[in-house]
Amino acid sequence: MSEDHALFIKKIAEKYGRDPTRLMDILLEVNARYGWFSEETIGHISEAMGIPRVKVRDKISFYTFFSRKPVGKTVIRLSYSVVEKMKGAELIARAFEDAVGIKFGETTPDGLITLTYAQCIGMSDQAPSALINHTPVGNLLPEDVADIVEAVKKGEDISQLPQALTDVNLRRSGPVVFAPMDAGTALRSALKMTPEQVIEEIKKSKLRGRGGAGFPTGKKWEACRNVKSDFRYIVCNADEGEPGTFKDRVIMSERADLVFEGMTIAGYAIGAEYGIVYLRGEYEYMLEDLKRILEERRKKGLLGQNILGKKSFNFAIRIQIGAGAYICGEESALIESLEGKRGAPRERPPFPVEKGYMNRPTAVNNVETLCAAARIMEQGADWFSTIGTEASAGTKLLSVSGDCSRPGVYEIEYGITVGRFLKMVGAEHAIAAKIGGPSGRLVAPTDFDRTISFEDFSTGGSVIFFGPGRDLLTHMKQFTEFFVEESCGWCTPCRVGTTLMLKEFDKIIEGRATKTEVENIKKLGQTIKTMSRCGLGQTAPNPILTSMQNFPELYEAVIKPDDYIGSFDFAKAVEAGARIAGRKPHDEEEANA
Ligand SMILES: Cc1cc2nc3c(=O)[nH]c(=O)nc-3n(C[C@H](O)[C@H](O)[C@H](O)COP(=O)(O)O)c2cc1C
Ligand code: SF4
């Protein structure tokens, strides 16, 4: 058995040329076979790859899809984000526990089923949802669960269940990403230009990155092209993992051809011969379709050697599957992960355009950005720059979820007001909108006349609506818990600061925080934002800080005066001891506290 085990791993290692940068693929294949990593398995991997065990352990421990203890043949990952909870995920969790006969975090004694929670599987539009091994199921009702579990026990094909994802939920197509496409048209236009002219055209279009930071794409490509190097790379960031975001899921299922076309054009522009798509592990169910599209493109001469007859223009694309780590969406963490390591963000500078994948100049672009770049080649920069606003050219895909009657993906023109948008999606009664997902801001109805654009409310794509009766403070706490969970732990302000902020925020929610303590949370939040190494820490305080800024009344209703006797601030209590002992309570409730 052990020999088979060693041989199996050796063969996989050989398949990837024992290349340590392909460790992720090797672990994924070993995981697919055994479901978990015993010390013996780690030893075999270490031996087959010629790398220390500690490196293998380190990588495994970073990703939620990898386990160090046995898991069931079927792993049911229930999506447990804020939106999922709003839509009843807790009831679904109890229904699974009843049907399977174990608690979440456990495996059945016969080794058949493991129940576990996932942060977000990219299906908030169809919440409550779950991944059953690699098959997504959505719009779950508690009464569906027994049948699903029965099907799992009988070994039936889960993708045939009525709850299996069938709906892409594209609610509104715009002229850029979801307009009809003909594979090769954009690339043919690009190849009529020189690479420098392609970059000029992209600059002229005013295209800015759609992954969140909004960096001008033409400038990024130019910087990458201008670094002297023997190799350059294009990386397509398809790792969307922020709860409430699923637009890239819809792009990859409906417009993968356009994404690959955009990557090929980017390759031509910057002088790269190799592109990698980093696809989040939760979307592995798309892999076979994506590989088929790549193969068709090769057959049509749109990938490979001397593409479309252009001498010496060669470009190949491979897909790297992730293994469940939100931080790997951050471009330098993604590159680390691609190189076979943990997904910890790098110190910057140098930026990826100077030293990226394999220390070579690398342009990392979001899926949607690459689609827009391809469309610009097809329709021209002038056409593109007239869509949207002055500083925000083009369209934006928004993933809409929460309290609205038409959740899904919308391609809108930049500049639309929040108010108009919420009518479009059926969220007229919203009391708040979280624009930009957990890391974005909580917007109050008084700001619903403002616009979605880089110059006003900028967003990577997620918009979550909250209707009347929602407990906003509890939801802000849950968003913060997400960041605590997903912090890679490298820097203290993020690792310790977010945990501290969460603890302090509990005091507010429980109605035992004083005014000064609330001010201190604000200061702590600002410190985390300015002192953290990467965008995760720099935005993690946003749920709490923006709710304080835009919903002060929620806080005024629960905070206590500074000499509140129920506050657990021990140091302050000692300092104020005598004064507290002698004062009159504020009300009866406090007197009883
Ligand atoms: C914590 C974190 C997660 C991120 N996740 C994503 C992601 O899922 N997809 C993405 O394109 N960009 C993501 N980004 C932004 C990337 O670092 C990077 O800016 C982007 O991929 C660049 O592409 P663009 O210029 O086309 O926007 C994330 C950033 C941070 C800090
Ligand atoms: S800010 Fe957070 S996620 Fe980013 S490097 Fe620091 S600890 Fe890691």
Side-chain angles (χ1 to χ4, degrees):
M1 162 69 186
S2 184
E3 214 168 294
D4 282 356
H5 189 177
L7 194 64
F8 173 74
I9 291 170
K10 193 164 166 251
K11 279 188 182 158
I12 294 176
E14 277 163 5
K15 176 174 156 192
Y16 291 100
R18 302 180 62 207
D19 176 357
T21 69
R22 301 302 296 273
L23 187 57
M24 180 68 109
D25 292 298
I26 292 160
L27 296 182
L28 285 165
E29 289 207 24
V30 173
N31 197 43
R33 166 88 175 245
Y34 299 109
W36 69 292
F37 295 88
S38 66
E39 203 45 44
E40 189 190 351
T41 304
I42 290 171
H44 290 321
I45 296 170
S46 151
E47 205 168 299
M49 296 294 294
I51 52 176
R53 275 176 188 243
V54 66
K55 272 204 161 173
V56 183
R57 275 193 217 108
D58 197 35
K59 175 99 178 166
I60 290 167
S61 67
F62 195 80
Y63 299 91
T64 58
F65 281 21
F66 298 147
S67 171
R68 289 297 314 276
K69 54 178 196 194
V71 296
K73 207 169 145 219
T74 299
V75 179
I76 298 177
R77 294 175 205 278
L78 181 68
S79 199
Y80 220 51
S81 68
V82 169
V83 175
E84 300 274 354
K85 285 179 189 158
M86 284 164 66
K87 297 290 171 180
E90 283 169 30
L91 289 177
I92 304 298
R94 302 295 80 79
F96 268 116
E97 286 181 340
D98 288 347
V100 183
I102 54 171
K103 297 277 173 214
F104 269 76
E106 293 177 354
T107 299
T108 51
D110 61 1
L112 192 61
I113 300 176
T114 294
L115 293 180
T116 185
Y117 291 117
Q119 291 287 2
C120 176
I121 63 163
M123 285 204 23
S124 303
D125 54 330
Q126 294 167 61
S129 63
L131 266 184
I132 301 185
N133 284 343
H134 296 299
T135 307
V137 290
N139 294 315
L140 296 174
L141 297 169
E143 53 270 31
D144 295 336
V145 169
D147 286 347
I148 294 175
V149 171
E150 202 46 38
V152 169
K153 284 183 180 164
K154 286 184 183 156
E156 288 174 7
D157 180 359
I158 300 299
S159 67
Q160 298 308 309
L161 287 176
Q163 298 84 1
L165 172 71
T166 49
D167 199 352
V168 291
N169 244 347
L170 172 59
R171 298 274 183 176
R172 187 175 198 267
S173 302
V176 179
V177 179
F178 290 115
M181 83 160 286
D182 188 17
T185 307
L187 185 56
R188 274 187 193 90
S189 304
L191 295 185
K192 284 181 192 146
M193 303 180 203
T194 64
E196 291 81 1
Q197 285 169 333
V198 171
I199 290 175
E200 276 315 307
E201 191 72 2
I202 297 291
K203 280 166 81 177
K204 194 172 150 205
S205 74
K206 300 195 256 177
L207 173 63
R208 293 173 66 172
R210 301 318 200 218
F215 193 84
T217 308
K219 265 176 96 174
K220 183 182 283 190
W221 291 7
E222 186 173 52
C224 196
R225 183 175 178 80
N226 287 344
V227 178
K228 270 202 164 58
S229 178
D230 49 352
F231 278 107
R232 292 184 187 78
Y233 296 98
I234 298 293
V235 171
C236 168
N237 190 341
D239 193 46
E240 65 173 356
E242 186 138 353
T245 312
F246 45 85
K247 64 159 183 99
D248 293 345
R249 178 197 86 209
V250 177
I251 298 180
M252 293 310 285
S253 88
E254 301 304 293
R255 280 293 176 276
D257 230 343
L258 195 61
V259 177
F260 297 146
E261 187 122 344
M263 287 179 76
T264 314
I265 291 166
Y268 176 66
I270 71 161
E273 293 203 344
Y274 201 54
I276 307 172
V277 179
Y278 191 99
L279 184 71
R280 72 179 301 209
E282 289 80 352
Y283 296 166
E284 189 173 331
Y285 66 93
M286 295 184 192
L287 186 60
E288 288 313 309
D289 272 348
L290 296 176
K291 283 185 178 168
R292 183 184 45 74
I293 296 169
L294 284 177
E295 188 50 34
E296 280 166 13
R297 289 185 71 83
R298 270 181 223 115
K299 283 188 185 144
K300 287 180 191 161
L302 302 173
L303 283 173
Q305 306 283 311
N306 302 318
I307 291 174
L308 290 175
K310 187 93 178 172
K311 218 165 164 274
S312 307
F313 174 44
N314 310 325
F315 194 70
I317 295 178
R318 85 167 169 91
I319 300 169
Q320 175 68 65
I321 298 284
Y326 164 63
I327 189 60
C328 286
E330 195 280 333
E331 57 187 5
S332 66
L334 186 151
I335 289 169
E336 286 281 295
S337 178
L338 272 180
E339 290 180 356
K341 302 176 222 156
R342 294 158 66 87
R346 291 179 178 174
E347 187 87 59
R348 298 182 311 167
F351 291 93
V353 287
E354 302 153 81
K355 277 187 174 205
Y357 179 59
M358 310 299 281
N359 274 335
R360 302 301 206 296
T362 303
V364 181
N365 277 123
N366 176 252
V367 172
E368 187 183 346
T369 313
L370 291 161
C371 288
R375 205 62 92 173
I376 291 162
M377 287 299 113
E378 191 185 288
Q379 304 281 345
D382 292 337
W383 166 82
F384 186 82
S385 63
T386 56
I387 305 169
T389 71
E390 185 59 29
S392 312
T395 61
K396 182 79 197 88
L397 296 201
L398 298 176
S399 316
V400 179
S401 64
D403 294 321
C404 60
S405 54
R406 292 180 289 281
V409 168
Y410 292 73
E411 183 175 356
I412 52 101
E413 281 194 26
Y414 273 118
I416 191 171
T417 62
V418 179
R420 231 190 99 202
F421 185 60
L422 59 83
K423 281 193 191 115
M424 195 184 280
V425 308
E428 290 88 343
H429 304 298
I431 57 161
K434 193 86 171 66
I435 298 183
S439 63
R441 62 180 110 189
L442 187 70
V443 175
T446 44
D447 281 333
F448 283 177
D449 57 344
R450 291 177 60 182
T451 65
I452 293 173
S453 58
F454 287 110
E455 53 269 51
D456 202 353
F457 291 153
S458 167
T459 165
S462 158
V463 183
I464 301 168
F465 288 105
F466 299 95
R470 290 294 179 193
D471 178 355
L472 294 178
L473 292 190
T474 296
H475 294 318
M476 296 312 111
K477 177 187 162 176
Q478 292 163 340
F479 284 134
T480 311
E481 283 167 345
F482 167 75
F483 292 117
V484 169
E485 186 64 28
E486 294 295 324
S487 164
C488 83
W490 194 90
C491 53
T492 314
C494 172
R495 187 186 68 246
V496 180
T498 51
T499 308
L500 205 58
M501 201 165 176
L502 192 58
K503 266 182 97 178
E504 292 297 301
F505 195 65
D506 270 341
K507 285 189 188 169
I508 297 181
I509 290 194
E510 290 160 15
R512 55 187 178 85
T514 64
K515 248 181 156 166
T516 305
E517 283 170 323
V518 172
E519 287 308 311
N520 286 342
I521 294 180
K522 271 190 206 168
K523 283 185 203 149
L524 176 61
Q526 286 306 337
T527 308
I528 298 169
K529 278 171 83 79
T530 49
M531 303 295 286
S532 289
R533 184 185 212 181
C534 86
L536 189 149
Q538 289 155 11
T539 56
N542 283 352
I544 293 178
L545 293 186
T546 62
S547 62
M548 284 179 169
Q549 189 185 333
N550 299 329
F551 291 85
E553 67 281 9
L554 292 179
Y555 291 85
E556 280 153 19
V558 291
I559 57 178
K560 304 288 185 214
D562 275 340
D563 54 357
Y564 169 55
I565 196 166
S567 168
F568 291 163
D569 189 327
F570 183 72
K572 198 145 43 80
V574 170
E575 185 194 302
R579 193 162 42 89
I580 289 172
R583 81 179 167 83
K584 229 173 130 208
H586 298 287
D587 56 36
E588 273 307 305
E589 198 190 329
E590 278 187 32
N592 294 332

